[in-house]
Amino acid sequence: MENVPPSILAIGDSLIAGYGLAVADSFPAQLQSSLRYRHPGVSVINAGVSGDTSADVLRRLPRLLSSLDRRPALAIVQVGPNDVLRQVPIARTRAQLANILLSLSDCGIPVVLTTVEPPAFIRDRAAAYLNIHAEVAAEHGATVWPFFPQGVLGHSDMVLADRVHPNTKAIAAVVAAMLPVVERMV
């Protein structure tokens, strides 16, 4: 059997899509570049859509999975901040996250479910959502991982002009911190 390089599905919101960044500076592109040293030919599929909520990801997941030419070795799921901003009921967000993980699990795709520490301006609104990702990951056998490593959030040299979305330097830090867990799972 031919040794086919692995693919990784990166799905979620603007943090995956690369809002405000050049394509080559997005999380999927930087992760792919970093992985290619040890995994030549690896591909990281950018299935991020800015503004997506957990409902949006769940809605488009079946069509996305059926469009792939091979099963990904891993899915990295980053979704939730827009649920908080739009005040999606906590139980609905939780159920949608669980269904995303079930859909991926049913396809035999291991998952890294990432979390985002809420910035100060929405910390109170986000408080009730904080443990959802870890709880759902534990229930469905997914790995939970912080999207942003320590030292990235809250630093003006790590964000775009909107003071919310990460810049190229921040995404490089995200990739460097996440690389060991991704390499163990691929």
PDB file of all heavy atoms in Angstrom, residues 52-59 61 77 79-80 82-84 87-104 113 129 132-133 136 140:
ATOM      1  N   ASP A  52     -18.168  32.116  12.343  1.00  0.00           N
ATOM      2  CA  ASP A  52     -18.885  30.869  12.610  1.00  0.00           C
ATOM      3  C   ASP A  52     -19.127  30.642  14.094  1.00  0.00           C
ATOM      4  O   ASP A  52     -18.265  30.895  14.936  1.00  0.00           O
ATOM      5  CB  ASP A  52     -18.110  29.669  12.062  1.00  0.00           C
ATOM      6  CG  ASP A  52     -18.638  29.192  10.721  1.00  0.00           C
ATOM      7  OD1 ASP A  52     -19.465  29.891  10.115  1.00  0.00           O
ATOM      8  OD2 ASP A  52     -18.217  28.094  10.283  1.00  0.00           O
ATOM      9  N   THR A  53     -20.305  30.127  14.371  1.00  0.00           N
ATOM     10  CA  THR A  53     -20.667  29.642  15.702  1.00  0.00           C
ATOM     11  C   THR A  53     -20.594  28.115  15.668  1.00  0.00           C
ATOM     12  O   THR A  53     -20.390  27.514  14.600  1.00  0.00           O
ATOM     13  CB  THR A  53     -22.101  30.060  16.073  1.00  0.00           C
ATOM     14  OG1 THR A  53     -22.996  29.435  15.149  1.00  0.00           O
ATOM     15  CG2 THR A  53     -22.265  31.571  16.060  1.00  0.00           C
ATOM     16  N   SER A  54     -20.821  27.494  16.805  1.00  0.00           N
ATOM     17  CA  SER A  54     -20.839  26.033  16.838  1.00  0.00           C
ATOM     18  C   SER A  54     -21.947  25.483  15.926  1.00  0.00           C
ATOM     19  O   SER A  54     -21.758  24.448  15.285  1.00  0.00           O
ATOM     20  CB  SER A  54     -20.994  25.527  18.276  1.00  0.00           C
ATOM     21  OG  SER A  54     -22.155  26.047  18.870  1.00  0.00           O
ATOM     22  N   ALA A  55     -23.068  26.175  15.829  1.00  0.00           N
ATOM     23  CA  ALA A  55     -24.153  25.734  14.939  1.00  0.00           C
ATOM     24  C   ALA A  55     -23.715  25.778  13.479  1.00  0.00           C
ATOM     25  O   ALA A  55     -24.037  24.878  12.701  1.00  0.00           O
ATOM     26  CB  ALA A  55     -25.391  26.609  15.131  1.00  0.00           C
ATOM     27  N   ASP A  56     -22.976  26.814  13.102  1.00  0.00           N
ATOM     28  CA  ASP A  56     -22.500  26.931  11.721  1.00  0.00           C
ATOM     29  C   ASP A  56     -21.539  25.794  11.375  1.00  0.00           C
ATOM     30  O   ASP A  56     -21.628  25.194  10.302  1.00  0.00           O
ATOM     31  CB  ASP A  56     -21.799  28.275  11.503  1.00  0.00           C
ATOM     32  CG  ASP A  56     -22.711  29.463  11.707  1.00  0.00           C
ATOM     33  OD1 ASP A  56     -23.884  29.410  11.290  1.00  0.00           O
ATOM     34  OD2 ASP A  56     -22.252  30.454  12.313  1.00  0.00           O
ATOM     35  N   VAL A  57     -20.605  25.507  12.280  1.00  0.00           N
ATOM     36  CA  VAL A  57     -19.640  24.424  12.041  1.00  0.00           C
ATOM     37  C   VAL A  57     -20.387  23.098  11.929  1.00  0.00           C
ATOM     38  O   VAL A  57     -20.138  22.312  11.011  1.00  0.00           O
ATOM     39  CB  VAL A  57     -18.572  24.377  13.149  1.00  0.00           C
ATOM     40  CG1 VAL A  57     -17.732  23.113  13.049  1.00  0.00           C
ATOM     41  CG2 VAL A  57     -17.684  25.616  13.074  1.00  0.00           C
ATOM     42  N   LEU A  58     -21.306  22.845  12.835  1.00  0.00           N
ATOM     43  CA  LEU A  58     -22.070  21.603  12.803  1.00  0.00           C
ATOM     44  C   LEU A  58     -22.866  21.472  11.510  1.00  0.00           C
ATOM     45  O   LEU A  58     -22.910  20.392  10.908  1.00  0.00           O
ATOM     46  CB  LEU A  58     -23.009  21.530  14.008  1.00  0.00           C
ATOM     47  CG  LEU A  58     -23.849  20.271  14.138  1.00  0.00           C
ATOM     48  CD1 LEU A  58     -22.972  19.029  14.249  1.00  0.00           C
ATOM     49  CD2 LEU A  58     -24.779  20.391  15.345  1.00  0.00           C
ATOM     50  N   ARG A  59     -23.454  22.553  11.056  1.00  0.00           N
ATOM     51  CA  ARG A  59     -24.275  22.546   9.832  1.00  0.00           C
ATOM     52  C   ARG A  59     -23.431  22.231   8.594  1.00  0.00           C
ATOM     53  O   ARG A  59     -23.850  21.496   7.720  1.00  0.00           O
ATOM     54  CB  ARG A  59     -24.978  23.892   9.674  1.00  0.00           C
ATOM     55  CG  ARG A  59     -25.960  23.968   8.548  1.00  0.00           C
ATOM     56  CD  ARG A  59     -26.791  25.258   8.504  1.00  0.00           C
ATOM     57  NE  ARG A  59     -26.265  26.422   9.187  1.00  0.00           N
ATOM     58  CZ  ARG A  59     -26.604  26.829  10.433  1.00  0.00           C
ATOM     59  NH1 ARG A  59     -27.467  26.134  11.140  1.00  0.00           N
ATOM     60  NH2 ARG A  59     -26.087  27.915  10.954  1.00  0.00           N
ATOM     61  N   LEU A  61     -20.385  20.714   8.536  1.00  0.00           N
ATOM     62  CA  LEU A  61     -19.469  19.584   8.703  1.00  0.00           C
ATOM     63  C   LEU A  61     -19.782  18.383   7.803  1.00  0.00           C
ATOM     64  O   LEU A  61     -18.865  17.858   7.170  1.00  0.00           O
ATOM     65  CB  LEU A  61     -19.418  19.173  10.175  1.00  0.00           C
ATOM     66  CG  LEU A  61     -18.372  18.126  10.546  1.00  0.00           C
ATOM     67  CD1 LEU A  61     -16.966  18.591  10.191  1.00  0.00           C
ATOM     68  CD2 LEU A  61     -18.465  17.815  12.041  1.00  0.00           C
ATOM     69  N   VAL A  77     -10.493  21.563  16.057  1.00  0.00           N
ATOM     70  CA  VAL A  77     -11.762  22.295  16.079  1.00  0.00           C
ATOM     71  C   VAL A  77     -11.613  23.508  16.987  1.00  0.00           C
ATOM     72  O   VAL A  77     -11.316  23.368  18.175  1.00  0.00           O
ATOM     73  CB  VAL A  77     -12.919  21.394  16.566  1.00  0.00           C
ATOM     74  CG1 VAL A  77     -14.224  22.182  16.629  1.00  0.00           C
ATOM     75  CG2 VAL A  77     -13.057  20.156  15.679  1.00  0.00           C
ATOM     76  N   VAL A  79     -13.946  26.626  17.928  1.00  0.00           N
ATOM     77  CA  VAL A  79     -15.223  27.308  17.811  1.00  0.00           C
ATOM     78  C   VAL A  79     -15.741  27.593  19.223  1.00  0.00           C
ATOM     79  O   VAL A  79     -15.436  26.869  20.159  1.00  0.00           O
ATOM     80  CB  VAL A  79     -16.241  26.469  16.981  1.00  0.00           C
ATOM     81  CG1 VAL A  79     -16.653  25.213  17.700  1.00  0.00           C
ATOM     82  CG2 VAL A  79     -17.419  27.281  16.526  1.00  0.00           C
ATOM     83  N   GLY A  80     -16.486  28.666  19.357  1.00  0.00           N
ATOM     84  CA  GLY A  80     -17.061  29.011  20.648  1.00  0.00           C
ATOM     85  C   GLY A  80     -17.093  30.493  20.959  1.00  0.00           C
ATOM     86  O   GLY A  80     -18.079  30.968  21.516  1.00  0.00           O
ATOM     87  N   ASN A  82     -17.681  33.045  19.132  1.00  0.00           N
ATOM     88  CA  ASN A  82     -18.840  33.716  18.527  1.00  0.00           C
ATOM     89  C   ASN A  82     -20.142  33.298  19.193  1.00  0.00           C
ATOM     90  O   ASN A  82     -21.103  34.075  19.215  1.00  0.00           O
ATOM     91  CB  ASN A  82     -18.875  33.471  17.014  1.00  0.00           C
ATOM     92  CG  ASN A  82     -17.729  34.172  16.325  1.00  0.00           C
ATOM     93  OD1 ASN A  82     -17.445  35.336  16.603  1.00  0.00           O
ATOM     94  ND2 ASN A  82     -17.041  33.460  15.446  1.00  0.00           N
ATOM     95  N   ASP A  83     -20.188  32.094  19.757  1.00  0.00           N
ATOM     96  CA  ASP A  83     -21.361  31.689  20.549  1.00  0.00           C
ATOM     97  C   ASP A  83     -21.498  32.621  21.746  1.00  0.00           C
ATOM     98  O   ASP A  83     -22.601  33.052  22.082  1.00  0.00           O
ATOM     99  CB  ASP A  83     -21.210  30.250  21.036  1.00  0.00           C
ATOM    100  CG  ASP A  83     -21.313  29.237  19.924  1.00  0.00           C
ATOM    101  OD1 ASP A  83     -20.470  29.233  19.002  1.00  0.00           O
ATOM    102  OD2 ASP A  83     -22.243  28.421  19.969  1.00  0.00           O
ATOM    103  N   VAL A  84     -20.370  32.915  22.398  1.00  0.00           N
ATOM    104  CA  VAL A  84     -20.384  33.807  23.555  1.00  0.00           C
ATOM    105  C   VAL A  84     -20.828  35.209  23.128  1.00  0.00           C
ATOM    106  O   VAL A  84     -21.711  35.803  23.747  1.00  0.00           O
ATOM    107  CB  VAL A  84     -18.997  33.860  24.231  1.00  0.00           C
ATOM    108  CG1 VAL A  84     -18.970  34.915  25.335  1.00  0.00           C
ATOM    109  CG2 VAL A  84     -18.609  32.494  24.779  1.00  0.00           C
ATOM    110  N   GLN A  87     -24.385  35.331  22.431  1.00  0.00           N
ATOM    111  CA  GLN A  87     -25.146  34.830  23.575  1.00  0.00           C
ATOM    112  C   GLN A  87     -26.034  33.634  23.220  1.00  0.00           C
ATOM    113  O   GLN A  87     -27.203  33.550  23.600  1.00  0.00           O
ATOM    114  CB  GLN A  87     -25.943  35.951  24.224  1.00  0.00           C
ATOM    115  CG  GLN A  87     -25.029  37.039  24.774  1.00  0.00           C
ATOM    116  CD  GLN A  87     -25.769  38.119  25.503  1.00  0.00           C
ATOM    117  OE1 GLN A  87     -26.723  38.691  24.984  1.00  0.00           O
ATOM    118  NE2 GLN A  87     -25.327  38.395  26.718  1.00  0.00           N
ATOM    119  N   VAL A  88     -25.439  32.690  22.481  1.00  0.00           N
ATOM    120  CA  VAL A  88     -26.119  31.430  22.204  1.00  0.00           C
ATOM    121  C   VAL A  88     -26.312  30.736  23.550  1.00  0.00           C
ATOM    122  O   VAL A  88     -25.393  30.713  24.376  1.00  0.00           O
ATOM    123  CB  VAL A  88     -25.265  30.553  21.256  1.00  0.00           C
ATOM    124  CG1 VAL A  88     -25.876  29.171  21.085  1.00  0.00           C
ATOM    125  CG2 VAL A  88     -25.079  31.247  19.908  1.00  0.00           C
ATOM    126  N   PRO A  89     -27.494  30.197  23.819  1.00  0.00           N
ATOM    127  CA  PRO A  89     -27.697  29.518  25.097  1.00  0.00           C
ATOM    128  C   PRO A  89     -26.617  28.453  25.343  1.00  0.00           C
ATOM    129  O   PRO A  89     -26.244  27.706  24.428  1.00  0.00           O
ATOM    130  CB  PRO A  89     -29.088  28.885  24.960  1.00  0.00           C
ATOM    131  CG  PRO A  89     -29.784  29.783  23.981  1.00  0.00           C
ATOM    132  CD  PRO A  89     -28.711  30.203  23.002  1.00  0.00           C
ATOM    133  N   ILE A  90     -26.144  28.412  26.566  1.00  0.00           N
ATOM    134  CA  ILE A  90     -25.035  27.523  26.930  1.00  0.00           C
ATOM    135  C   ILE A  90     -25.359  26.071  26.589  1.00  0.00           C
ATOM    136  O   ILE A  90     -24.519  25.360  26.035  1.00  0.00           O
ATOM    137  CB  ILE A  90     -24.694  27.692  28.420  1.00  0.00           C
ATOM    138  CG1 ILE A  90     -24.159  29.102  28.639  1.00  0.00           C
ATOM    139  CG2 ILE A  90     -23.689  26.654  28.891  1.00  0.00           C
ATOM    140  CD1 ILE A  90     -24.162  29.562  30.062  1.00  0.00           C
ATOM    141  N   ALA A  91     -26.558  25.627  26.891  1.00  0.00           N
ATOM    142  CA  ALA A  91     -26.936  24.236  26.609  1.00  0.00           C
ATOM    143  C   ALA A  91     -26.888  23.946  25.109  1.00  0.00           C
ATOM    144  O   ALA A  91     -26.494  22.852  24.695  1.00  0.00           O
ATOM    145  CB  ALA A  91     -28.335  23.938  27.156  1.00  0.00           C
ATOM    146  N   ARG A  92     -27.250  24.920  24.294  1.00  0.00           N
ATOM    147  CA  ARG A  92     -27.214  24.727  22.841  1.00  0.00           C
ATOM    148  C   ARG A  92     -25.766  24.644  22.354  1.00  0.00           C
ATOM    149  O   ARG A  92     -25.427  23.777  21.544  1.00  0.00           O
ATOM    150  CB  ARG A  92     -27.953  25.856  22.124  1.00  0.00           C
ATOM    151  CG  ARG A  92     -28.090  25.579  20.621  1.00  0.00           C
ATOM    152  CD  ARG A  92     -28.886  26.607  19.878  1.00  0.00           C
ATOM    153  NE  ARG A  92     -30.151  26.899  20.539  1.00  0.00           N
ATOM    154  CZ  ARG A  92     -30.752  28.079  20.483  1.00  0.00           C
ATOM    155  NH1 ARG A  92     -30.226  29.072  19.805  1.00  0.00           N
ATOM    156  NH2 ARG A  92     -31.889  28.276  21.106  1.00  0.00           N
ATOM    157  N   THR A  93     -24.917  25.530  22.846  1.00  0.00           N
ATOM    158  CA  THR A  93     -23.496  25.473  22.462  1.00  0.00           C
ATOM    159  C   THR A  93     -22.899  24.127  22.848  1.00  0.00           C
ATOM    160  O   THR A  93     -22.197  23.494  22.062  1.00  0.00           O
ATOM    161  CB  THR A  93     -22.707  26.622  23.129  1.00  0.00           C
ATOM    162  OG1 THR A  93     -23.210  27.866  22.634  1.00  0.00           O
ATOM    163  CG2 THR A  93     -21.227  26.524  22.844  1.00  0.00           C
ATOM    164  N   ARG A  94     -23.195  23.697  24.064  1.00  0.00           N
ATOM    165  CA  ARG A  94     -22.671  22.418  24.550  1.00  0.00           C
ATOM    166  C   ARG A  94     -23.127  21.267  23.653  1.00  0.00           C
ATOM    167  O   ARG A  94     -22.340  20.410  23.255  1.00  0.00           O
ATOM    168  CB  ARG A  94     -23.140  22.195  25.980  1.00  0.00           C
ATOM    169  CG  ARG A  94     -22.524  21.023  26.659  1.00  0.00           C
ATOM    170  CD  ARG A  94     -23.074  20.890  28.087  1.00  0.00           C
ATOM    171  NE  ARG A  94     -22.183  20.188  28.950  1.00  0.00           N
ATOM    172  CZ  ARG A  94     -21.838  18.920  28.814  1.00  0.00           C
ATOM    173  NH1 ARG A  94     -22.305  18.216  27.813  1.00  0.00           N
ATOM    174  NH2 ARG A  94     -21.007  18.352  29.666  1.00  0.00           N
ATOM    175  N   ALA A  95     -24.411  21.223  23.328  1.00  0.00           N
ATOM    176  CA  ALA A  95     -24.969  20.154  22.484  1.00  0.00           C
ATOM    177  C   ALA A  95     -24.347  20.178  21.091  1.00  0.00           C
ATOM    178  O   ALA A  95     -24.057  19.121  20.513  1.00  0.00           O
ATOM    179  CB  ALA A  95     -26.489  20.287  22.399  1.00  0.00           C
ATOM    180  N   GLN A  96     -24.155  21.362  20.540  1.00  0.00           N
ATOM    181  CA  GLN A  96     -23.574  21.473  19.199  1.00  0.00           C
ATOM    182  C   GLN A  96     -22.110  21.031  19.198  1.00  0.00           C
ATOM    183  O   GLN A  96     -21.675  20.338  18.278  1.00  0.00           O
ATOM    184  CB  GLN A  96     -23.762  22.895  18.668  1.00  0.00           C
ATOM    185  CG  GLN A  96     -25.226  23.136  18.357  1.00  0.00           C
ATOM    186  CD  GLN A  96     -25.643  24.572  18.201  1.00  0.00           C
ATOM    187  OE1 GLN A  96     -26.721  24.826  17.723  1.00  0.00           O
ATOM    188  NE2 GLN A  96     -24.835  25.540  18.611  1.00  0.00           N
ATOM    189  N   LEU A  97     -21.358  21.414  20.219  1.00  0.00           N
ATOM    190  CA  LEU A  97     -19.977  20.937  20.337  1.00  0.00           C
ATOM    191  C   LEU A  97     -19.952  19.413  20.432  1.00  0.00           C
ATOM    192  O   LEU A  97     -19.129  18.753  19.784  1.00  0.00           O
ATOM    193  CB  LEU A  97     -19.286  21.548  21.551  1.00  0.00           C
ATOM    194  CG  LEU A  97     -18.849  22.993  21.445  1.00  0.00           C
ATOM    195  CD1 LEU A  97     -18.360  23.503  22.801  1.00  0.00           C
ATOM    196  CD2 LEU A  97     -17.772  23.168  20.396  1.00  0.00           C
ATOM    197  N   ALA A  98     -20.842  18.853  21.245  1.00  0.00           N
ATOM    198  CA  ALA A  98     -20.907  17.393  21.385  1.00  0.00           C
ATOM    199  C   ALA A  98     -21.223  16.740  20.044  1.00  0.00           C
ATOM    200  O   ALA A  98     -20.613  15.720  19.682  1.00  0.00           O
ATOM    201  CB  ALA A  98     -21.955  17.011  22.428  1.00  0.00           C
ATOM    202  N   ASN A  99     -22.132  17.309  19.282  1.00  0.00           N
ATOM    203  CA  ASN A  99     -22.490  16.736  17.979  1.00  0.00           C
ATOM    204  C   ASN A  99     -21.359  16.859  16.963  1.00  0.00           C
ATOM    205  O   ASN A  99     -21.186  15.977  16.123  1.00  0.00           O
ATOM    206  CB  ASN A  99     -23.784  17.351  17.455  1.00  0.00           C
ATOM    207  CG  ASN A  99     -24.994  16.783  18.161  1.00  0.00           C
ATOM    208  OD1 ASN A  99     -25.030  15.607  18.491  1.00  0.00           O
ATOM    209  ND2 ASN A  99     -25.978  17.620  18.415  1.00  0.00           N
ATOM    210  N   ILE A 100     -20.591  17.925  17.044  1.00  0.00           N
ATOM    211  CA  ILE A 100     -19.412  18.052  16.177  1.00  0.00           C
ATOM    212  C   ILE A 100     -18.436  16.927  16.495  1.00  0.00           C
ATOM    213  O   ILE A 100     -17.937  16.235  15.587  1.00  0.00           O
ATOM    214  CB  ILE A 100     -18.737  19.438  16.360  1.00  0.00           C
ATOM    215  CG1 ILE A 100     -19.623  20.541  15.790  1.00  0.00           C
ATOM    216  CG2 ILE A 100     -17.346  19.462  15.713  1.00  0.00           C
ATOM    217  CD1 ILE A 100     -19.211  21.954  16.217  1.00  0.00           C
ATOM    218  N   LEU A 101     -18.169  16.718  17.779  1.00  0.00           N
ATOM    219  CA  LEU A 101     -17.240  15.654  18.170  1.00  0.00           C
ATOM    220  C   LEU A 101     -17.779  14.276  17.805  1.00  0.00           C
ATOM    221  O   LEU A 101     -17.014  13.409  17.358  1.00  0.00           O
ATOM    222  CB  LEU A 101     -16.932  15.733  19.666  1.00  0.00           C
ATOM    223  CG  LEU A 101     -16.204  16.987  20.122  1.00  0.00           C
ATOM    224  CD1 LEU A 101     -15.824  16.894  21.596  1.00  0.00           C
ATOM    225  CD2 LEU A 101     -14.976  17.283  19.283  1.00  0.00           C
ATOM    226  N   LEU A 102     -19.073  14.059  17.967  1.00  0.00           N
ATOM    227  CA  LEU A 102     -19.668  12.777  17.574  1.00  0.00           C
ATOM    228  C   LEU A 102     -19.536  12.534  16.074  1.00  0.00           C
ATOM    229  O   LEU A 102     -19.212  11.424  15.650  1.00  0.00           O
ATOM    230  CB  LEU A 102     -21.147  12.730  17.974  1.00  0.00           C
ATOM    231  CG  LEU A 102     -21.444  12.451  19.437  1.00  0.00           C
ATOM    232  CD1 LEU A 102     -22.920  12.672  19.733  1.00  0.00           C
ATOM    233  CD2 LEU A 102     -21.025  11.038  19.809  1.00  0.00           C
ATOM    234  N   SER A 103     -19.790  13.560  15.280  1.00  0.00           N
ATOM    235  CA  SER A 103     -19.680  13.418  13.821  1.00  0.00           C
ATOM    236  C   SER A 103     -18.261  13.040  13.413  1.00  0.00           C
ATOM    237  O   SER A 103     -18.057  12.159  12.571  1.00  0.00           O
ATOM    238  CB  SER A 103     -20.077  14.717  13.121  1.00  0.00           C
ATOM    239  OG  SER A 103     -21.437  14.991  13.317  1.00  0.00           O
ATOM    240  N   LEU A 104     -17.282  13.701  14.008  1.00  0.00           N
ATOM    241  CA  LEU A 104     -15.889  13.394  13.685  1.00  0.00           C
ATOM    242  C   LEU A 104     -15.498  12.012  14.194  1.00  0.00           C
ATOM    243  O   LEU A 104     -14.828  11.243  13.492  1.00  0.00           O
ATOM    244  CB  LEU A 104     -14.970  14.482  14.242  1.00  0.00           C
ATOM    245  CG  LEU A 104     -15.132  15.844  13.555  1.00  0.00           C
ATOM    246  CD1 LEU A 104     -14.499  16.951  14.385  1.00  0.00           C
ATOM    247  CD2 LEU A 104     -14.562  15.816  12.139  1.00  0.00           C
ATOM    248  N   LEU A 113      -9.801  19.708  20.457  1.00  0.00           N
ATOM    249  CA  LEU A 113     -10.793  20.760  20.647  1.00  0.00           C
ATOM    250  C   LEU A 113     -10.106  21.886  21.403  1.00  0.00           C
ATOM    251  O   LEU A 113      -9.682  21.702  22.542  1.00  0.00           O
ATOM    252  CB  LEU A 113     -11.992  20.228  21.435  1.00  0.00           C
ATOM    253  CG  LEU A 113     -13.128  21.207  21.720  1.00  0.00           C
ATOM    254  CD1 LEU A 113     -13.757  21.716  20.418  1.00  0.00           C
ATOM    255  CD2 LEU A 113     -14.176  20.545  22.602  1.00  0.00           C
ATOM    256  N   TYR A 129     -19.534  29.817  30.075  1.00  0.00           N
ATOM    257  CA  TYR A 129     -19.112  28.960  28.962  1.00  0.00           C
ATOM    258  C   TYR A 129     -17.752  28.307  29.199  1.00  0.00           C
ATOM    259  O   TYR A 129     -17.358  27.425  28.449  1.00  0.00           O
ATOM    260  CB  TYR A 129     -19.000  29.783  27.670  1.00  0.00           C
ATOM    261  CG  TYR A 129     -20.294  30.346  27.139  1.00  0.00           C
ATOM    262  CD1 TYR A 129     -20.824  31.528  27.641  1.00  0.00           C
ATOM    263  CD2 TYR A 129     -20.972  29.716  26.098  1.00  0.00           C
ATOM    264  CE1 TYR A 129     -21.998  32.066  27.137  1.00  0.00           C
ATOM    265  CE2 TYR A 129     -22.151  30.249  25.587  1.00  0.00           C
ATOM    266  CZ  TYR A 129     -22.650  31.419  26.110  1.00  0.00           C
ATOM    267  OH  TYR A 129     -23.816  31.948  25.605  1.00  0.00           O
ATOM    268  N   ILE A 132     -17.219  24.339  29.217  1.00  0.00           N
ATOM    269  CA  ILE A 132     -17.950  23.515  28.242  1.00  0.00           C
ATOM    270  C   ILE A 132     -17.010  22.673  27.393  1.00  0.00           C
ATOM    271  O   ILE A 132     -17.207  21.470  27.235  1.00  0.00           O
ATOM    272  CB  ILE A 132     -18.850  24.385  27.333  1.00  0.00           C
ATOM    273  CG1 ILE A 132     -19.976  25.005  28.127  1.00  0.00           C
ATOM    274  CG2 ILE A 132     -19.406  23.561  26.179  1.00  0.00           C
ATOM    275  CD1 ILE A 132     -20.816  25.987  27.326  1.00  0.00           C
ATOM    276  N   HIS A 133     -15.980  23.279  26.826  1.00  0.00           N
ATOM    277  CA  HIS A 133     -15.085  22.550  25.927  1.00  0.00           C
ATOM    278  C   HIS A 133     -14.419  21.371  26.635  1.00  0.00           C
ATOM    279  O   HIS A 133     -14.377  20.261  26.091  1.00  0.00           O
ATOM    280  CB  HIS A 133     -14.027  23.486  25.335  1.00  0.00           C
ATOM    281  CG  HIS A 133     -14.563  24.427  24.313  1.00  0.00           C
ATOM    282  ND1 HIS A 133     -15.428  25.450  24.614  1.00  0.00           N
ATOM    283  CD2 HIS A 133     -14.349  24.500  22.978  1.00  0.00           C
ATOM    284  CE1 HIS A 133     -15.730  26.112  23.508  1.00  0.00           C
ATOM    285  NE2 HIS A 133     -15.089  25.559  22.499  1.00  0.00           N
ATOM    286  N   VAL A 136     -17.065  18.577  27.352  1.00  0.00           N
ATOM    287  CA  VAL A 136     -17.466  17.865  26.139  1.00  0.00           C
ATOM    288  C   VAL A 136     -16.308  17.011  25.614  1.00  0.00           C
ATOM    289  O   VAL A 136     -16.513  15.863  25.206  1.00  0.00           O
ATOM    290  CB  VAL A 136     -17.969  18.859  25.065  1.00  0.00           C
ATOM    291  CG1 VAL A 136     -18.172  18.175  23.724  1.00  0.00           C
ATOM    292  CG2 VAL A 136     -19.270  19.518  25.524  1.00  0.00           C
ATOM    293  N   HIS A 140     -16.271  12.812  25.178  1.00  0.00           N
ATOM    294  CA  HIS A 140     -16.176  12.226  23.836  1.00  0.00           C
ATOM    295  C   HIS A 140     -14.759  11.809  23.452  1.00  0.00           C
ATOM    296  O   HIS A 140     -14.497  11.523  22.283  1.00  0.00           O
ATOM    297  CB  HIS A 140     -16.757  13.203  22.811  1.00  0.00           C
ATOM    298  CG  HIS A 140     -18.206  13.452  23.030  1.00  0.00           C
ATOM    299  ND1 HIS A 140     -19.184  12.569  22.642  1.00  0.00           N
ATOM    300  CD2 HIS A 140     -18.856  14.468  23.672  1.00  0.00           C
ATOM    301  CE1 HIS A 140     -20.367  13.030  23.009  1.00  0.00           C
ATOM    302  NE2 HIS A 140     -20.191  14.173  23.634  1.00  0.00           N
TER     303      HIS A 140
END
